[in-house]
Amino acid sequence: MRRGPVDDLINDFIAETREMLEALSGEIVAWEAEPGDRARLDEIFRFVHTVKGNSGFFDLPRIRALSHAAEDALSAVRSGARTPDARLVSAVLGVIDRLGELVEALETGEALASEDDSALIDALTAEEPAEALESEAAPASHAARASSRTIRLPVELLDRMMSGVSDLVLARNELARRIRASGDTDMMAAFERVSATVADLRDGITRTRMQRIDNLFAPLPRMVRDISGQTGKQVGLEIDGGDVEIDREMLEMIRDPLTHIIRNAIDHGIESPAERRRAGKSETGCLRVCARQAGNHILLEISDDGAGIDGDKLVRRAVAAGVLTAERADRLTEAEKNALVFEPGLSTAASVTDLSGRGVGMDVVRANVERIGGLVEIESRRGQGVVLTLRAPLTLTIIPALTVAAGGQVYAIPRSAIEEIVRVKGGAVRVESVGGAAFATVRGRRLPLVYLRESLGREPSDDPAGQSLVLLRPAGADLYALAVDDIYDHEELVVKPAAPAVMAAGLYAGTTLADDGKPVLLLDPPGIAARAGLALHRRGNEAEAAPQPAVMATEGPAALLFKTLEGKKRLVPVAAVQRIEDVRPEAVQLSAGRLHVALGDTLLPLEGCGATAPDRPIRLLRLGDGQEEIAYGFADVVDILPLPAGLLPATEPGEVRGVVLVGDEQAELLDLHWLFARHSGRPAAAAPRPVCAIPAGDPFMDAILRPLVESAGYTVVASGAPGSEAASVVIAGAEAGAVEPPAGARLVRIRSEAEGESGSVHRYDRDALLAALAGEVRPKRRRRNG
């Protein structure tokens, strides 16, 4: 049936009224706090006046009667005949709620449970002693908003536009591959201009779906006011970051989790006024909601200054419910105890209320956030409050993903869940079966192994040793390994919901299209783990930490043996290897006189490739020291083995620290200190000499500083371990508290900042480090720019 002009006008009225309603409840609560704010009063009055006029035009008597009564009450306030007290504000809020219900019923055609608005109107018109406002109404506190040119479009149209751009991007990728294969450089130059235009178009369409997050924040003042009234508490709300933009769908996805978190914070996070007085706090609790953008994610932080989480009570409830064993409970850290709040069925509430206490809520929050590829982190300090950080992608439509193959079919895996990619061949991975369960041992870590083929109901691979493993950490849980036939490429994919029957399988998070137009299913890492029967726990909940040796032996820790792009065999300490990735040649460029590689939204300096960018795909070691990262190009992994003794040092500082024997072959050991110092702008050199104690468990100290100290002639032991009392030098971080070195020993503090206290040494100033080890005092040098 064809729509008429009146239908279009009513739809515009509904959309406009709903938009104004979303922003208005917060304005009314703010007006209650500052009755003299004439600008807010005028804005509320204009809303009800506009609704009254429109409802008269469309012959909507209930809406007209309610808005007319609200207009009369607000007009009395504007003239000074009434004072905007809590009673009047509550009455106005009641009318606003009913108007919202009526507009919703007008759109859906459903009748309301209540057809009588007289009580709401009576609450508005209830007379109070007529008295003028105590002070003159303040003039408008802000200038009138500048008019903006806008147009209202149906979301379905935006979705179709995004779908068209998605097809255009796929066609562009296919054309790019064919031009590269042809070697036509002139054609490629012209194509790059087209490609840039397509990228701009995609970004523009994406932005049309973005909304300011203050649309999510607008109802919060009203919500806090209502819940505070129900609980008899006094709560002040602070909001920051409302100008951050986020995809419209994502906005709706995080609305319910945010509501759960705020209700919990007020109901049994913030104390009653009497309890706060006894604790020496202000009677009014503080709830703060802050949003900020970090790369292609949004960070939503909700903090309160309440009592914090009682971790011990959670542990007792968890043991009673069978979630934890008593033995494991005794070993939990404070952070691990707090994380139990996300376990289903656990609550610290003393009683069940309309708001909370049933043991549901926070587990639902985590599940909903993880469903959209996000994370929820919690930090609590008893007596001081809780900080909940919700991390979610800015948009659901385009996500970075890795394409893989299994059983002749291509699939995609969200890159946010990928920890590392390793190959079974080469001896770096050991695969075994124990009691019918498969495990993969990767650099000393034993991980559950899931074969994607079997999870999808396909025949097992004829060549299991030829498969690759994708190490997955879904939403911050334990690692597991997923075996796939082939690894293809990292791509940005436009993802849409799959058919209900497909989604019901529990293995998929959506669907997209490959460059050739074929459909590709986006895998759901938590769903695959659940189908395989893996009970993945949050990091630090059930996973046991590997024991750390107290004394660092002269034959060092595990090392990764690999082949360089030139075919040489080299070693690097496993502790410094964060992950291994495959990259395309176009991700590498020569800039600022050095090679750099783009990995997602991260740009890293690249070593191991000489001075020219590669012309074919390469593999990368991502090396880290706990604070900084560099990439190192290589050809293949050979083995994982203990770092051999008997190092023959290089004649001068450089990329190679020395040579060792691996079996009957020579292998060069990378000098990580030299590599990192090279990219920190610090000079590299060599110097003199005996026992040195360093902190254990720090990636920089273990993998990078330790080899430098040993090359200076020291035996290295862990601080506090047997033998450390004989140390002549004790090394500590600049942030460490009071450190008491043995009698006669020197204390050397390492800092990561460019400047610091006198007596501390920058971590990549090799000259100063070696001088400090030798007991020499050198004048402080001015750090060079560049």
Side-chain angles (χ1 to χ4, degrees):
M1 182 168 132
R2 186 166 180 166
R3 289 162 46 101
V6 175
D7 293 326
D8 291 335
L9 288 174
I10 289 179
N11 286 335
D12 286 344
F13 165 69
I14 292 171
E16 183 179 0
T17 305
R18 183 182 287 118
E19 287 177 5
M20 290 189 291
L21 280 168
E22 287 178 353
L24 203 61
S25 61
E27 291 296 311
I28 297 175
V29 175
W31 170 56
E32 177 186 29
E34 297 182 59
D37 190 338
R38 182 59 180 260
R40 280 201 172 97
L41 173 60
D42 289 345
E43 189 169 348
I44 299 166
F45 180 83
R46 278 195 298 272
F47 164 73
V48 294
H49 179 75
T50 301
V51 172
K52 185 189 79 168
N54 290 340
S55 61
F57 175 79
F58 291 113
D59 191 22
L60 303 170
R62 289 185 67 183
I63 293 179
R64 188 177 189 281
L66 284 164
S67 55
H68 184 69
E71 182 186 45
D72 286 347
L74 293 171
S75 181
V77 175
R78 296 176 84 203
S79 66
R82 290 189 69 175
T83 302
D85 58 6
R87 182 178 178 181
L88 174 61
V89 169
S90 296
V92 173
L93 286 170
V95 169
I96 295 296
D97 288 343
R98 181 61 57 83
L99 288 174
E101 294 171 1
L102 290 169
V103 169
E104 188 73 23
L106 181 63
E107 182 178 32
T108 62
E110 297 178 358
L112 294 183
S114 173
E115 297 291 336
D116 185 7
D117 302 324
S118 58
L120 290 171
I121 294 175
D122 290 344
L124 277 173
T125 57
E127 289 296 326
E128 300 171 347
E131 57 184 31
L133 291 173
E134 295 181 6
S135 59
E136 291 293 324
S141 59
H142 52 79
R145 291 181 183 142
S147 61
S148 59
R149 299 169 59 197
T150 61
I151 184 171
R152 186 175 284 113
L153 295 174
V155 174
E156 293 78 10
L157 176 59
L158 294 179
D159 289 340
R160 287 204 304 273
M161 293 168 65
M162 177 59 77
S163 178
V165 171
S166 171
D167 293 340
L168 185 60
V169 169
L170 295 172
R172 178 201 65 178
N173 294 346
E174 173 69 11
L175 182 58
R177 187 164 55 244
R178 295 192 179 193
I179 292 175
R180 283 197 300 269
S182 70
D184 190 335
T185 55
D186 292 337
M187 183 68 76
M188 179 56 77
F191 170 78
E192 290 296 341
R193 293 196 296 272
V194 175
S195 180
T197 303
V198 171
D200 289 343
L201 178 62
R202 188 190 70 178
D203 291 343
I205 298 290
T206 301
R207 287 196 63 80
T208 63
R209 298 173 55 91
M210 305 295 276
Q211 290 187 353
R212 284 165 55 102
I213 203 170
D214 57 8
N215 292 327
L216 178 67
F217 290 164
L220 297 187
R222 168 75 184 278
M223 183 195 307
V224 171
R225 179 184 188 271
D226 291 348
I227 298 175
S228 300
Q230 292 178 51
T231 57
K233 298 176 181 179
Q234 300 173 14
V235 182
L237 175 66
E238 298 178 8
I239 294 177
D240 188 25
D243 56 346
V244 172
E245 290 189 332
I246 187 173
D247 186 279
R248 176 190 59 82
E249 285 188 57
M250 186 62 64
L251 199 70
E252 295 305 318
M253 293 282 193
I254 63 178
R255 191 181 299 275
D256 284 347
L258 178 62
T259 300
H260 272 297
I261 292 171
I262 288 178
R263 288 161 69 98
N264 280 350
I266 298 176
D267 191 27
H268 54 259
I270 295 177
E271 313 95 328
S272 68
E275 290 171 321
R276 293 181 65 86
R277 279 197 305 271
R278 287 195 294 271
K281 299 180 179 180
S282 165
E283 290 188 1
T284 301
C286 180
L287 181 65
R288 189 168 188 270
V289 181
C290 173
R292 69 180 188 276
Q293 185 175 343
N296 60 350
H297 282 77
I298 182 171
L299 297 182
L300 196 58
E301 189 175 276
I302 305 98
S303 59
D304 66 69
D305 65 346
I309 296 174
D310 189 338
D312 294 332
K313 184 181 290 187
L314 274 172
V315 169
R316 290 194 295 272
R317 298 275 175 93
V319 172
V323 176
L324 275 179
T325 64
E327 182 182 54
R328 174 62 183 152
D330 291 338
R331 299 199 303 272
L332 291 181
T333 65
E334 196 65 28
E336 292 167 346
K337 293 177 183 178
N338 294 336
L340 290 171
V341 77
F342 293 114
E343 292 296 328
L346 294 185
S347 172
T348 57
S351 61
V352 172
T353 70
D354 290 339
L355 292 173
S356 59
R358 295 174 176 82
V360 296
M362 294 310 294
D363 59 318
V364 176
V365 167
R366 188 180 69 186
N368 288 347
V369 173
E370 291 177 357
R371 191 173 296 119
I372 58 178
L375 287 172
V376 179
E377 299 171 347
I378 191 166
E379 180 184 346
S380 173
R381 287 180 292 178
R382 295 196 195 184
Q384 300 182 46
V386 173
V387 179
L388 264 159
T389 303
L390 189 157
R391 177 188 291 268
L394 285 177
T395 176
L396 276 179
T397 55
I398 300 177
I399 68 165
L402 175 73
T403 50
V404 302
Q409 180 68 41
V410 177
Y411 300 93
I413 303 174
R415 204 158 69 198
S416 60
I418 298 175
E419 184 91 355
E420 185 178 342
I421 301 168
V422 296
R423 286 182 169 83
V424 176
K425 282 185 177 177
V429 177
R430 188 174 71 254
V431 174
E432 57 188 331
S433 179
V434 179
F439 293 90
T441 302
V442 182
R443 295 198 298 277
R445 291 183 297 181
R446 197 175 190 219
L447 307 175
L449 175 59
V450 177
Y451 290 95
L452 183 56
R453 276 174 169 258
E454 297 179 11
S455 295
L456 301 174
R458 296 176 178 268
E459 291 294 323
S461 172
D462 296 331
D463 181 23
Q467 292 189 303
S468 296
L469 302 185
V470 182
L471 305 192
L472 299 175
R473 192 186 292 280
D478 291 342
L479 272 174
Y480 76 93
L482 182 69
V484 299
D485 295 347
D486 287 298
I487 304 287
Y488 288 146
D489 214 343
H490 290 278
E491 299 182 35
E492 286 195 338
L493 301 178
V494 181
V495 179
K496 304 172 185 177
V502 175
M503 298 298 286
L507 299 173
Y508 309 106
T511 183
T512 185
L513 293 176
D515 290 351
D516 56 6
K518 293 181 181 178
V520 173
L521 287 168
L522 181 70
L523 299 175
D524 179 37
I528 292 173
R531 170 66 66 86
L534 301 185
L536 300 181
H537 304 281
R538 302 294 109 184
R539 259 188 293 187
N541 187 4
E542 292 289 334
E544 298 288 344
Q548 297 294 323
V551 180
M552 304 174 194
T554 53
E555 185 165 319
L560 178 71
L561 180 64
F562 63 93
K563 283 187 178 180
T564 68
L565 297 176
E566 296 82 27
K568 295 180 179 179
K569 287 189 176 180
R570 284 186 175 167
L571 289 158
V572 61
V574 166
V577 180
Q578 295 188 331
R579 67 177 66 180
I580 297 173
E581 296 198 26
D582 296 326
V583 298
R584 296 171 294 179
E586 51 265 35
V588 179
Q589 289 191 5
L590 182 65
S591 55
R594 291 179 179 172
L595 289 179
H596 293 84
V597 60
L599 299 172
D601 55 1
T602 304
L603 188 66
L604 297 179
L606 176 61
E607 293 284 353
C609 296
T612 57
D615 57 359
R616 54 188 170 83
I618 62 170
R619 306 189 72 193
L620 295 181
L621 296 171
R622 290 183 68 162
L623 306 175
D625 69 344
Q627 293 189 6
E628 300 181 16
E629 266 191 292
I630 63 173
Y632 194 94
F634 74 107
D636 205 1
V637 172
V638 177
D639 201 356
I640 303 287
L641 68 164
L643 188 63
L647 176 74
L648 294 178
T651 56
E652 58 184 33
E655 184 175 334
V656 174
R657 181 181 153 209
V659 182
V660 295
L661 275 179
V662 177
D664 57 355
E665 292 187 90
Q666 297 183 25
E668 298 174 334
L669 179 64
L670 287 183
D671 189 333
L672 292 181
H673 195 276
W674 186 90
L675 286 171
F676 276 88
R678 166 177 158 84
H679 292 284
S680 73
R682 293 280 173 175
R689 273 198 110 89
V691 176
C692 179
I694 69 174
D698 183 304
F700 169 78
M701 299 286 188
D702 287 346
I704 298 179
L705 186 64
R706 175 179 173 271
L708 177 69
V709 176
E710 286 180 335
S711 69
Y714 286 84
T715 299
V716 179
V717 299
S719 296
S724 61
E725 65 280 356
S728 57
V729 177
V730 174
I731 295 179
E735 71 286 348
V739 177
E740 288 295 331
R746 297 187 307 280
L747 176 64
V748 178
R749 289 192 179 270
I750 307 295
R751 69 173 189 274
S752 56
E753 296 80 10
E755 300 296 335
E757 298 179 4
S758 60
S760 63
V761 178
H762 188 273
R763 55 167 47 192
Y764 289 124
D765 190 339
R766 181 186 290 242
D767 287 344
L769 278 169
L770 293 173
L773 286 172
E776 301 173 9
V777 178
R778 297 197 176 186
K780 186 175 179 181
R781 295 179 301 171
R782 181 175 297 176
R783 194 178 185 193
R784 298 179 298 176
N785 294 327

